[in-house]
Amino acid sequence: MPPIGRRGFVAGAALAALGLGGGDAAASGGGGATASGGGVSGSRRAEEFRGLWIATITNRDFPSRPGLTAAEQRAELIGLLDLAVRRRMTAVVLQIRPSADALWPSPYEPWAQCLTGTQGADPGWDPLGTAVAEAHARGLQLHGWCNPYRVASHADPSRLAPGHPVRRHPEWALVYDGAMLYDPGLPEVRRHVQDAMLDAVRRYDLDALHWDDYFYPYPVAGQVIADDGAYARYGAGFADRAAWRRNNVDLLVSEMARRIKEVKPSVDFGISPFGVWRNAGTDPEGSDTRGGQSFDDLYADTRRWIREGWTDYVIPQLYWNIGFPACDYAKLVPWWDAVVRDTGVRLYLGESLYKVGDPAQPDAWQDPAELARHVRLARQYASVGGHCYFAAREAAKDPLGALTAAVKA
């Protein structure tokens, strides 16, 4: 399916609200970029992290379509792991809980719709169990990627699987811009989504539990988050609703961090947030950017999570080219490097492989060397430990040979 926004999941209206439409003119980045982060002078680091996101929502990367047989699905998954090896990745980040449903037999939420086309229908095999075993057999890490709050891309609870938590607890869900999400302001919701994800941590030999950038929804003009009831019950003592919403997300992150270590200390907890915390024009401690802000738009205080040590690693989605006027990759890398420095939190950089060769993108993305420039620039900063590429469908095609060039850089 054609992309409908950043990562292919966000409506164009949301992107416009963030001021990050992809059609803006941008510099191509020129030759090899330089930086002064006190890093390793561009030398190749040992043990660089190279991750590949494998998205299952709307069958973006896996399975190729719903309703394949168990054998066909398994063969596709094995093929993607083999692809990761060929592309010299060290980890795959597999989306195992795309929309309050699961790629394993979860007691908390139904089987994922992407597998059979019918949410709740048993696919006849265990995709997550297979993914873990087969990834490890190939020397790959397996990070289980979950979306904490997304329920459905529609607003009709009757279309959810019988027994779905939202059908049992309709008060747990909000509707925003025609889609359903769990209400982040309810403590019982927070406990449920944690329990659902911890089930995978308990039962499988995951290397990490991984969250994406979706917390409160990306803002859409004219849309209102209908959380008056939760705010009336739980919002006392906060300066305003925004502070209360940020606290809700902070609680989700901090509690999950603690619970993962209680259940299985060897499992890392990682988050791939939106690439801008705050703009310097809003907050002098923000980055030299002019676009959406996770702190204000998603109520996600990503910088605090790092400073508090609630995550083991962070992969900010730096899905812009070097020289992009609103959000310059070359300005964001040093900002994130400074944020994680001396915190013990590992920093990898999210890369927009999906933009390469797309005629709708700026000229920089028509250059096969753009991603390689990212890698060389990032090596100048001591805190950067590698990169993660979105996503598997593009890795298979390797448009313009850009991924191959980046891995060789």
Side-chain angles (χ1 to χ4, degrees):
M1 90 180 192
I4 56 172
R6 198 189 51 78
R7 272 200 166 179
F9 306 149
V10 185
L15 281 177
L18 294 177
L20 295 174
D24 295 343
S28 66
T34 59
S36 56
V40 292
S41 301
S43 63
R44 182 181 298 277
R45 289 191 181 100
E47 304 299 327
E48 275 189 335
F49 179 91
R50 292 187 297 276
L52 181 65
W53 274 294
I54 301 176
T56 58
I57 188 166
T58 67
N59 297 91
R60 188 197 190 277
D61 298 320
F62 170 77
S64 60
R65 59 181 174 84
L68 298 175
T69 67
E72 289 169 333
Q73 290 181 15
R74 187 180 188 281
E76 285 194 352
L77 180 58
I78 296 299
L80 289 171
L81 298 177
D82 288 339
L83 168 70
V85 172
R86 291 197 305 275
R87 297 296 188 224
R88 296 175 56 191
M89 300 294 110
T90 64
V92 291
V93 186
L94 174 66
Q95 192 173 31
I96 63 172
R97 185 177 175 269
S99 296
D101 51 16
L103 265 70
W104 75 97
S106 168
Y108 294 95
E109 290 171 326
W111 279 107
Q113 182 175 354
C114 64
L115 297 170
T116 64
T118 301
Q119 190 178 62
D122 189 334
W125 70 304
D126 181 354
L128 179 53
T130 299
V132 170
E134 297 292 342
H136 289 170
R138 288 159 174 76
L140 295 166
Q141 297 177 29
L142 194 288
H143 296 222
W145 163 20
C146 299
N147 179 276
Y149 290 132
R150 182 193 291 117
V151 173
S153 59
H154 56 79
D156 183 0
S158 70
R159 292 171 57 185
L160 301 174
H164 190 286
V166 169
R167 296 190 72 167
R168 299 196 310 270
H169 302 282
E171 72 280 5
W172 284 9
L174 299 175
V175 174
Y176 184 86
D177 194 32
M180 273 188 292
L181 67 151
Y182 283 123
D183 186 343
L186 299 179
E188 56 269 36
V189 162
R190 192 165 68 243
R191 184 74 183 190
H192 166 76
V193 298
Q194 291 172 4
D195 288 345
M197 292 181 280
L198 281 168
D199 183 63
V201 173
R202 286 191 179 94
R203 296 170 61 183
Y204 298 93
D205 188 20
L206 296 175
D207 295 282
L209 187 76
H210 178 98
W211 289 359
D212 55 34
D213 52 316
Y214 295 95
F215 294 97
Y216 278 86
Y218 277 85
V220 176
Q223 299 291 314
V224 176
I225 300 173
D227 58 359
D228 288 353
Y231 184 54
R233 272 179 284 171
Y234 303 110
F238 292 92
D240 52 31
R241 193 175 302 214
W244 170 72
R245 288 174 177 167
R246 271 188 293 275
N247 185 68
N248 293 333
V249 181
D250 285 349
L251 287 172
L252 181 77
V253 174
S254 61
E255 291 172 0
M256 194 66 178
R258 173 183 55 80
R259 294 184 71 189
I260 289 172
K261 299 310 178 188
E262 289 173 352
V263 168
K264 197 176 289 185
S266 63
V267 175
D268 282 342
F269 181 32
I271 300 179
S272 59
F274 182 69
V276 176
W277 172 70
R278 296 191 100 184
N279 299 311
T282 303
D283 185 325
E285 296 192 40
S287 52
D288 183 11
T289 48
R290 299 174 304 283
Q293 307 171 109
S294 68
F295 183 94
D296 303 274
D297 298 323
L298 308 178
Y299 308 100
D301 190 355
T302 53
R303 189 182 67 158
R304 182 184 182 190
W305 307 343
I306 294 167
R307 291 182 165 186
E308 298 286 352
W310 293 340
T311 63
D312 295 292
Y313 70 77
V314 64
I315 311 180
Q317 296 173 25
L318 305 189
Y319 290 171
W320 304 286
N321 56 275
I322 295 170
F324 186 70
C327 297
D328 186 344
Y329 185 94
K331 293 179 178 179
L332 281 161
V333 173
W335 188 89
W336 283 99
D337 171 80
V339 168
V340 304
R341 194 176 302 152
D342 300 323
T343 65
V345 176
R346 302 191 301 280
L347 173 64
Y348 314 128
L349 305 179
E351 303 287 350
S352 54
L353 179 61
Y354 72 94
K355 287 187 175 180
V356 175
D358 181 351
Q361 297 298 330
D363 288 347
W365 296 109
Q366 317 311 316
D367 184 346
E370 177 66 22
L371 289 180
R373 282 193 286 271
H374 291 196
V375 172
R376 288 193 294 269
L377 184 151
R379 288 205 185 106
Q380 301 296 321
Y381 295 91
S383 299
V384 180
H387 304 257
C388 197
Y389 297 91
F390 193 84
R393 182 171 65 191
E394 288 75 19
K397 299 175 182 177
D398 193 12
L400 308 183
L403 181 58
T404 296
V407 170
K408 290 180 178 179

